Amino acid sequence: MGINLNPFTWWNGASWSTVLYGLRGKTRVGEDALGNAYWQGGSDTMGRPRRWVIYGGSNDASRVPPEWFGWLHHQIDDVPDRALPPRRTWQKPAVANMTGTALAYRPPGALEKGGHRQAATGDYEAWTPDA
């Protein structure tokens, strides 16, 4: 079913018409580790080069790594590979937003984790206006 829907839908990725007609005369400037392709061409209303992303999967803005986010929003002029220093060893790779999935963060006491949280330790004293 996915191949039949692709020519008409945008929520599963770029439609064929976008790839065939919308990118004609534009320049592909790079790709990230998630398979997103970054393009540049023409100019926006402020005269800056127009930049956009074609997602390599579902259309979710949280799948754009921070360095490419900066490039898309004209915070850096050149592509991140050339404009930014190398990644530090302590930096973690960007992760897409996991909200709504089984991998989402659930704190202790969340209903999805059983709904039981640890008892209070006794060091908490509620505020009262007369105290």
Side-chain angles (χ1 to χ4, degrees):
M1 175 127 178
I3 196 159
N4 294 335
L5 260 122
N6 196 9
F8 311 108
T9 61
W10 53 266
W11 55 86
N12 292 326
S15 65
W16 290 345
S17 63
T18 300
V19 176
L20 292 176
Y21 305 114
L23 301 177
R24 195 178 319 170
K26 309 302 189 264
T27 306
R28 182 180 172 136
V29 296
E31 186 173 318
D32 65 18
L34 298 172
N36 300 326
Y38 297 90
W39 294 79
Q40 180 171 295
S43 59
D44 64 9
T45 56
M46 298 178 67
R48 300 177 302 185
R50 184 166 180 247
R51 299 172 174 176
W52 64 95
V53 59
I54 301 293
Y55 295 100
S58 62
N59 290 342
D60 181 7
S62 73
R63 295 184 70 238
V64 175
E67 57 271 10
W68 281 103
F69 178 90
W71 178 81
L72 284 169
H73 292 88
H74 299 278
Q75 295 171 347
I76 56 176
D77 293 328
D78 205 357
V79 293
D81 299 337
R82 294 188 296 257
L84 297 177
R87 193 173 199 83
R88 306 280 176 115
T89 57
W90 47 264
Q91 287 179 304
K92 292 184 177 182
V95 179
N97 186 350
M98 295 292 144
T99 302
T101 70
L103 300 174
Y105 172 73
R106 291 180 173 76
L111 293 177
E112 294 86 357
K113 290 186 100 175
H116 301 290
R117 60 181 185 191
Q118 296 176 349
T121 60
D123 61 349
Y124 174 76
E125 183 180 330
W127 176 83
T128 57
D130 300 330

